[in-house]
Amino acid sequence: MVGVTASALMGVMNPLLGKLSGLLEKEYNNLKGDSRKIAFLRDELSSMSAALDMVSEQDEANLQIRDWMSQLRELAYDVEDFIEIFMHHLGNDETCDGFINKIINKINTLKARRHISNQANELKERVLEVNDRRKRYKFDLSASCTKTEAIDPRLSALFEEGERLVGIDSQVEIISKWLIDDMDLHPHRTVVSIVGFGGLGKTTLANQVFQKIKRKFSCTGFVSVSRSPNVNKILNDAFLQVLKSSSNTSADQHVDIARIYEELGSGALEYPQLVNMIRDYLQSRRYFVVIDDIWSKQAWKDIQCAFSQDRNASRIITTTRIEDVAKACSFPYNDYVYHMKPLDSNDSKRLFLKRTFSHEDNCPSELKDITDDILRKCDGLPLAIVNIASLLATKETSKQEWERVKNSLCSALEQDGELEVVKKILFFSYYDLPHYLKICLLDLSIFPEDYAIDRLRLIRRWMAEGFIIEQRGQCLEDTGENYISELINRNMIQPVNTDYSGRPKACRVHDIMLDLIISLSTKENFVTIMDDQKLTPSAHKMRRISIQGNSEERKLWQGNSDLSHVRSLSVFGDAKKILPLRDFQVLRVLDLNDFSNLVDGDIGDIGSLIHLRYSSIKNVSKMPSQIGKLRLLQTLDLAWTNVKELPGTLVQLRQLVHLMLPRDVKLPDGISNLVCLEEISNFSVANNSAELLLEIGNLTKLKVLGVDWFSDGRFCDDEIFKTNLVSSLCKLGERALRSLGIWCWKPKCSLDFLVDLWSVPRQLQTFGAFPFGLDPCFSTLPKFTSPRSELRRLEFWVERLTAEDMQMIEGLPALLYLDLRTTRYMQETLTISGSGFQHLKEFECHVLMDWLGLKFEAGAVPRIEKLFFGFPVHDTISAHGVGFDFGISHLSSLKCLQVDIKCEGATAREVEAVEAAIKNAASLLPNLPIPEIKRLMEDQMVKKDEQSEDTSGDAEQDAEQPDSSCAR
């Protein structure tokens, strides 16, 4: 598939050309005689890149083209390696001090330059050879490719019989109600968008709805778009269907229709004429049209112009794989965006067995475990379930044969005709990605199945590899965030644990999509995966290695593969041993965060990785002093190590941006030399000097700071530490600081000195003060008084909270997340005013003593989605009765409610009555499922027979006739 090959190659070529141009601009004076060679490489590769653009969107190519592109890919990689080495030697020329050292360095430099010059000559010859080969064999790039399929593989969904479908009836019912209920009350054109991952059955669902309700409309149509739509043809086809289905044409209109048919058949109508003609015809008709598989907002904008919004209760269904497109189609009625979900486990099994054995009960018992394994891999994707079932239906019904198919699903997707449709439909989404996202998606093949990939880890790996293209006005990390958002928006990856701001903490790839990505990565020599089933590398020059499972060193050496070109090394699981690091000459990413058997000796040669940008390590107890040689290192993640002290050479890492530390680690003096540092996590005050704490304030780019105020049982109550912390926080607050977390790892530890000496900077976005156990960090609340505060996340534990404090917090204009913990609230009820927390999305509230409840006034927290709080049952009922009004019924946007009720001293009837009141109030909210109510101290409830008759009677009466005020 040349489209895949070219796209992946373009993802390599475009950054490479930028590097060559940048090298010529910035280092021209240092290049000496090599400038012409580098300019030649740039110009020749640029010409080849233009040729690649011709084929990057094509689907097929002959063997000659594929071979030529494979050579071009390896050449591009080697040129980039050459640039890395060249830049390293340029840097060494400038960093040598001392007369003797300069003489020695000069000799070494002359040898290195001679070697580099020879390499440049070799690359120049290879560029000429690759380019001449294309000319010599007269490759016709455009003629050798075909762009479209003879039959669109999605069309079969239009002819699927309803009785063969599973798990679709409830979905058909929901969308049908959206379209036809209260048509007279909603006369304007309504658009329902169905959105989801490729292969979930969007077209099938849309067609089933279409067949069910189309008779309620005077004219109908069902058209498919494409990635590169011909809007005139789409409108032409839609209009023909509308005409044929029209149910109320008069005799006079037949003349006009004949004329329209003639004009449509000629294909001579321009877009404006066609739009006007359709609008005129539909003006007095109630129409229902399905527009299937829209790929861009512009395509929708062009198509929807033809369908008027007159008050005739017309309806449109659109389907798309892209969230933004779905919202644009349904705008302004975003409640009519239907998100397709995978089948649940029961429906998945029913569908699979129905297609394999015609009936669920016909499955042999020895195949049930294998069936479960296959369905886990399909993960509810109907397209995969149906086609794998169809494949197995043609195979021998034996455990051995099914095991073979299960273990070779990745290769079967490439080779077996039954699964070809799965590959093609999923690849449509891949083809539609821009080049820079395609190469990022291929990089996900490094991670194992079902792996939750941390968002920041992924972005920083991409930065280290050079996959993220710099954009004006944005830092690379923000651009990387946009990349992940776009892949989620296109349903190529799945978000995991979305936070209050809408960003996922991690992401994962559907197993079937991962298999396809792995097959592409293997073909393109992008990633080499080594596990128990893949013992030998697939290419002589490996570029990226992912070691998975318990692979042994001897397996990695089979084939005598060249490791000098490997750019990233990632280890997952309990591999016996990794290869010597000195063999990886151009390594940029060293990710050992999931290597459970890592020992100190494995990283002894880390200083030889002079091109390393990203390093994540776990388990080791010592970092070698060689780490100071990693002058290009940007991320050093040691959070899961047992390191207690870092070497003094750490301060030589002047490109370091992110430093993630374990607890209780001692840092070297001179930390302010790390001029690019933006993040320090877990800075231990107790294990570092007061001078070093003061030095932190000189890091002018520091954005994220985590401080362990007390740790390892040591008490640092010396005034100099407090003074220096405040001094550093004040300096950082005037510069770049955006996130601050302070952990107090000692009982009765207080941060009260911050209240008087430090004010929260306006631009701080995240602030958290985390106590030891149940001891509050503050006696009184720090002041967050700026009306222009940018604080988005706030977490703290304070001993006393007043109504005035609450008013101050309510007024924070940008606050999205609040975790409020206090020992004592100074009033009976914690009331959130009607104007409070206008942007808050998540609220967690804990009060330990003397608190009777939480109450929301009408208008409070209008955007709240998640609420967690607790209260003592008996005290609250005693003061307010069973029907105490929490005001939950005002929170119309609430999607998740968790209530912790303290049962100490309460009767069973009181507990049940309170639970019923909460559920009753929650039942009035449209988006809220059944709330989760947790009983705390249930073993300390008062037994019924210990209560007086009057008390029991009162409780019983309250339970039978609960006050409905909370429901109101």
Side-chain angles (χ1 to χ4, degrees):
M1 306 186 94
V2 73
V4 174
T5 304
S7 296
L9 181 51
M10 290 295 289
V12 176
M13 287 284 281
N14 290 337
L16 172 58
L17 293 172
K19 286 185 178 181
L20 286 167
S21 296
L23 179 60
L24 287 169
E25 292 173 7
K26 296 178 182 178
E27 303 291 347
Y28 184 81
N29 293 330
N30 292 323
L31 293 176
K32 301 177 182 177
D34 296 315
S35 59
R36 284 184 297 176
K37 298 174 186 176
I38 292 173
F40 172 82
L41 291 175
R42 180 197 62 187
D43 295 342
E44 284 294 304
L45 290 174
S46 179
S47 298
M48 294 184 194
S49 178
L52 281 174
D53 266 335
M54 296 174 59
V55 295
S56 62
E57 300 301 323
Q58 309 296 335
D59 294 346
E60 301 294 339
N62 60 42
L63 290 176
Q64 285 183 322
I65 296 292
R66 294 185 206 175
D67 181 62
W68 174 74
M69 295 178 71
S70 176
Q71 293 175 26
L72 182 54
R73 177 194 66 223
E74 295 303 317
L75 174 60
Y77 277 131
D78 288 343
V79 170
E80 193 167 18
D81 290 347
F82 163 76
I83 296 172
E84 288 280 296
I85 296 170
F86 190 88
M87 291 295 293
H88 172 70
H89 285 287
L90 282 180
N92 276 351
D93 286 351
E94 299 171 355
T95 57
C96 187
D97 297 325
F99 178 74
I100 300 298
N101 285 339
K102 286 184 178 180
I103 295 295
I104 295 172
N105 187 67
K106 192 70 174 177
I107 296 171
N108 292 333
T109 300
L110 288 173
K111 293 179 180 178
R113 280 197 175 277
R114 189 177 301 114
H115 176 68
I116 289 172
S117 184
N118 291 337
Q119 277 191 310
N121 288 331
E122 290 177 11
L123 289 171
K124 180 178 178 179
E125 291 176 5
R126 283 178 60 190
V127 167
L128 289 171
E129 183 180 346
V130 170
N131 209 16
D132 288 345
R133 181 176 290 109
R134 179 171 65 90
K135 296 175 182 177
R136 188 163 59 249
Y137 289 101
K138 299 179 180 178
F139 295 166
D140 187 345
L141 298 178
S142 58
S144 64
C145 305
T146 59
K147 186 165 184 172
T148 58
E149 297 291 335
I151 298 177
D152 190 327
R154 295 164 291 187
L155 294 179
S156 60
L158 301 181
F159 306 100
E160 192 68 72
E161 297 175 5
E163 59 269 17
R164 286 168 57 84
L165 302 174
V166 170
I168 199 172
D169 293 343
S170 61
Q171 300 180 81
V172 171
E173 190 66 25
I174 290 171
I175 295 177
S176 297
K177 284 185 175 181
W178 285 359
L179 291 167
I180 61 178
D181 279 8
D182 301 324
M183 293 179 74
D184 294 334
L185 297 177
H186 298 88
H188 289 292
R189 184 193 75 186
T190 300
V191 181
V192 171
S193 294
I194 303 174
V195 60
F197 181 63
L200 278 176
K202 298 182 296 296
T203 301
T204 300
L205 175 58
N207 186 53
Q208 292 300 307
V209 175
F210 182 72
Q211 299 300 333
K212 179 179 179 178
I213 67 173
K214 64 181 181 181
R215 292 177 182 83
K216 296 183 179 294
F217 299 85
S218 60
C219 49
T220 60
F222 193 122
V223 292
S224 293
V225 188
S226 68
R227 289 191 303 119
S228 302
N230 182 333
V231 175
N232 270 28
K233 184 179 185 307
I234 292 167
L235 293 179
N236 198 88
D237 293 346
F239 198 12
L240 284 171
Q241 291 188 44
V242 164
L243 291 172
K244 290 177 182 178
S245 66
S246 188
S247 59
N248 58 348
T249 56
S250 65
D252 293 336
Q253 288 173 324
H254 279 297
V255 177
D256 293 333
I257 290 175
R259 177 182 57 80
I260 292 172
Y261 270 124
E262 182 179 351
E263 291 180 339
L264 292 175
S266 69
L269 290 175
E270 296 292 333
Y271 172 77
Q273 297 173 286
L274 193 53
V275 167
N276 287 327
M277 189 178 291
I278 296 173
R279 289 177 68 90
D280 289 344
Y281 184 80
L282 295 178
Q283 188 171 11
S284 58
R285 291 173 171 81
R286 178 178 289 180
Y287 62 84
F288 176 34
V289 176
V290 177
I291 304 172
D292 185 41
D293 211 21
I294 302 178
W295 288 84
S296 70
K297 288 185 277 189
Q298 186 59 50
W300 165 247
K301 186 182 294 185
D302 294 339
I303 292 169
Q304 66 94 27
C305 289
F307 299 96
S308 64
Q309 302 188 42
D310 292 328
R311 300 174 64 86
N312 52 15
S314 293
R315 301 293 186 253
I316 296 176
I317 290 179
T318 64
T319 73
T320 180
R321 306 182 188 199
I322 304 172
E323 295 280 344
D324 285 351
V325 174
K327 292 176 182 177
C329 293
S330 291
F331 182 83
Y333 306 108
N334 285 339
D335 288 342
Y336 289 153
V337 174
Y338 185 81
H339 292 85
M340 287 287 290
K341 296 290 190 293
L343 297 177
D344 62 29
S345 57
N346 291 330
D347 284 339
S348 294
K349 182 172 285 190
R350 285 177 54 215
L351 179 60
F352 181 83
L353 297 178
K354 204 172 184 181
R355 297 301 179 105
T356 310
F357 300 107
S358 299
H359 196 277
E360 301 172 48
D361 298 332
N362 295 339
C363 179
S365 58
E366 67 269 16
L367 297 181
K368 289 184 178 178
D369 287 343
I370 305 175
T371 297
D372 291 341
D373 290 341
I374 292 172
L375 290 176
R376 270 194 295 271
K377 192 172 191 66
C378 293
D379 197 18
L381 189 67
L383 177 72
I385 294 170
V386 167
N387 285 276
I388 292 174
S390 300
L391 171 63
L392 290 170
T394 66
K395 304 291 183 182
E396 179 186 347
T397 309
S398 69
K399 186 174 182 179
Q400 293 78 13
E401 181 63 18
W402 278 44
E403 284 278 7
R404 187 192 65 78
V405 172
K406 183 196 77 172
N407 293 332
S408 60
L409 273 179
C410 184
S411 57
L413 285 166
E414 285 295 309
Q415 300 170 7
D416 200 287
E418 290 285 353
L419 301 184
E420 183 73 13
V421 65
V422 180
K423 180 179 67 174
K424 288 180 178 177
I425 286 180
L426 295 184
F427 273 172
F428 282 144
S429 296
Y430 179 84
Y431 293 141
D432 194 58
L433 294 175
H435 301 309
Y436 58 85
L437 285 184
K438 283 174 178 157
I439 199 168
C440 289
L441 191 68
L442 289 182
D443 190 60
L444 299 182
S445 62
I446 285 172
F447 297 91
E449 278 188 5
D450 299 319
Y451 191 91
I453 311 166
D454 180 79
R455 184 187 85 252
L456 291 177
R457 175 185 183 182
L458 187 58
I459 291 172
R460 290 164 187 176
R461 286 179 56 116
W462 287 347
M463 290 169 60
E465 285 257 39
F467 295 158
I468 299 178
I469 300 172
E470 188 173 356
Q471 296 184 7
R472 180 175 295 179
Q474 265 192 341
C475 67
L476 289 180
E477 193 159 309
D478 287 343
T479 304
E481 295 276 10
N482 293 341
Y483 284 11
I484 289 180
S485 297
E486 186 60 21
L487 288 172
I488 292 173
N489 177 49
R490 292 169 176 266
N491 283 290
M492 298 298 291
I493 61 177
Q494 301 165 344
V496 177
N497 295 330
T498 301
D499 68 12
Y500 61 93
S501 65
R503 293 187 311 186
K505 296 178 182 178
C507 63
R508 68 181 291 269
V509 186
H510 192 285
D511 286 353
I512 296 296
M513 176 59 82
L514 180 62
D515 282 344
L516 293 174
I517 296 172
I518 289 173
S519 71
L520 293 179
S521 293
T522 302
K523 281 184 178 180
E524 297 306 309
N525 192 25
F526 191 85
V527 174
T528 301
I529 298 174
M530 298 180 178
D531 59 21
D532 296 333
Q533 297 177 10
K534 307 176 184 69
L535 303 184
T536 57
S538 58
H540 179 64
K541 283 185 179 180
M542 294 185 291
R543 303 296 178 178
R544 295 166 189 87
I545 296 178
S546 177
I547 301 174
Q548 301 177 12
N550 58 357
S551 304
E552 297 180 13
E553 182 181 9
R554 61 179 176 81
K555 297 176 181 178
L556 306 185
W557 282 106
Q558 291 180 4
N560 294 321
S561 295
D562 184 1
L563 301 175
S564 63
H565 300 276
V566 176
R567 291 153 176 251
S568 83
L569 173 64
S570 307
V571 183
F572 303 89
D574 55 351
K576 304 304 180 196
K577 188 175 178 62
I578 60 172
L579 300 172
L581 294 183
R582 61 179 176 274
D583 293 337
F584 297 89
Q585 296 178 16
V586 294
L587 197 71
R588 300 177 182 184
V589 172
L590 178 65
D591 195 340
L592 307 180
N593 195 59
D594 294 278
F595 181 18
S596 55
N597 289 331
L598 187 68
V599 296
D600 290 356
D602 291 330
I603 61 169
D605 293 332
I606 195 170
S608 64
L609 306 179
I610 57 176
H611 303 289
L612 198 65
R613 269 89 163 175
Y614 178 96
S615 178
S616 180
I617 297 169
K618 70 181 298 185
N619 292 340
V620 300
S621 58
K622 185 178 181 180
M623 285 300 295
S625 60
Q626 291 184 17
I627 195 173
K629 296 180 180 180
L630 309 180
R631 303 298 175 86
L632 300 179
L633 193 64
Q634 299 167 353
T635 297
L636 179 59
D637 186 353
L638 304 174
W640 297 103
T641 67
N642 301 310
V643 174
K644 295 300 181 184
E645 183 174 359
L646 288 175
T649 53
L650 177 79
V651 300
Q652 298 172 15
L653 306 180
R654 297 176 65 84
Q655 297 298 316
L656 193 64
V657 178
H658 306 285
L659 177 60
M660 283 80 87
L661 300 171
R663 284 190 57 200
D664 305 332
V665 69
K666 186 180 187 316
L667 296 173
D669 292 335
I671 201 78
S672 59
N673 290 330
L674 304 179
V675 293
C676 292
L677 204 59
E678 296 181 6
E679 176 181 4
I680 302 178
S681 67
N682 291 332
F683 176 82
S684 173
V685 174
N687 290 281
N688 288 283
S689 65
E691 291 74 19
L692 191 61
L693 182 59
L694 187 63
E695 204 175 337
I696 294 288
N698 296 326
L699 296 170
T700 58
K701 294 186 178 181
L702 198 67
K703 295 180 180 178
V704 179
L705 176 61
V707 176
D708 286 352
W709 183 235
F710 298 102
S711 58
D712 204 21
R714 297 176 60 188
F715 184 65
C716 297
D717 202 25
D718 195 322
E719 290 299 321
I720 188 65
F721 283 93
K722 296 179 181 179
T723 302
N724 288 0
L725 176 62
V726 171
S727 174
S728 289
L729 291 181
C730 289
K731 288 181 181 179
L732 296 173
E734 294 172 355
R735 296 167 182 158
L737 190 65
R738 295 294 182 271
S739 177
L740 174 64
I742 305 179
W743 284 262
C744 300
W745 296 113
K746 185 176 177 63
K748 300 189 183 304
C749 162
S750 174
L751 296 174
D752 281 343
F753 67 92
L754 286 179
V755 176
D756 299 325
L757 302 175
W758 176 69
S759 59
V760 179
R762 179 180 61 82
Q763 74 275 13
L764 195 70
Q765 297 178 357
T766 300
F767 177 61
F770 307 94
F772 176 91
L774 301 180
D775 293 321
C777 298
F778 299 102
S779 298
T780 58
L781 191 68
K783 301 303 179 186
F784 307 95
T785 54
S786 173
R788 296 183 299 154
S789 169
E790 298 176 17
L791 203 63
R792 294 161 58 86
R793 182 185 182 103
L794 177 60
E795 301 172 79
F796 65 90
W797 192 311
V798 64
E799 184 175 352
R800 298 180 304 277
L801 189 69
T802 66
E804 291 73 20
D805 292 334
M806 201 65 218
Q807 290 175 4
M808 179 182 63
I809 303 171
E810 283 183 2
L812 293 172
L815 197 64
L816 299 175
Y817 177 95
L818 175 62
D819 185 348
L820 185 158
R821 299 168 188 251
T822 181
T823 305
R824 180 180 287 106
Y825 184 61
M826 304 309 291
Q827 290 185 338
E828 285 188 348
T829 302
L830 180 59
T831 301
I832 311 300
S833 72
S835 60
F837 299 120
Q838 291 300 295
H839 295 90
L840 195 69
K841 291 188 175 181
E842 293 189 29
F843 185 18
E844 188 165 353
C845 186
H846 301 269
V847 183
L848 294 187
M849 299 168 54
D850 304 332
W851 183 44
L852 300 180
L854 174 70
K855 183 174 181 179
F856 295 93
E857 294 184 347
V861 287
R863 303 184 185 184
I864 189 76
E865 295 180 359
K866 296 181 181 179
L867 173 62
F868 306 86
F869 74 99
F871 62 93
V873 172
H874 183 70
D875 292 345
T876 302
I877 288 180
S878 298
H880 302 285
V882 176
F884 176 63
D885 184 5
F886 297 96
I888 297 173
S889 56
H890 296 143
L891 311 182
S892 59
S893 59
L894 197 62
K895 298 178 181 177
C896 175
L897 173 62
Q898 178 179 312
V899 184
D900 295 343
I901 54 175
K902 299 172 186 176
C903 303
E904 181 183 17
T907 67
R909 288 185 181 276
E910 286 177 329
V911 171
E912 291 168 2
V914 164
E915 289 179 341
I918 294 171
K919 290 177 181 177
N920 184 41
S923 67
L924 302 177
L925 300 178
N927 299 316
L928 183 64
I930 297 174
E932 180 182 349
I933 302 176
K934 296 173 64 177
R935 295 183 178 184
L936 305 181
M937 297 178 285
E938 189 171 8
D939 58 333
Q940 299 179 42
M941 290 170 58
V942 178
K943 293 181 180 179
K944 179 180 177 182
D945 58 5
E946 294 177 356
Q947 302 298 301
S948 67
E949 289 290 326
D950 292 340
T951 304
S952 300
D954 292 342
E956 183 175 353
Q957 184 176 2
D958 285 342
E960 291 175 350
Q961 296 178 340
D963 188 334
S964 60
S965 58
C966 68
R968 291 195 298 271

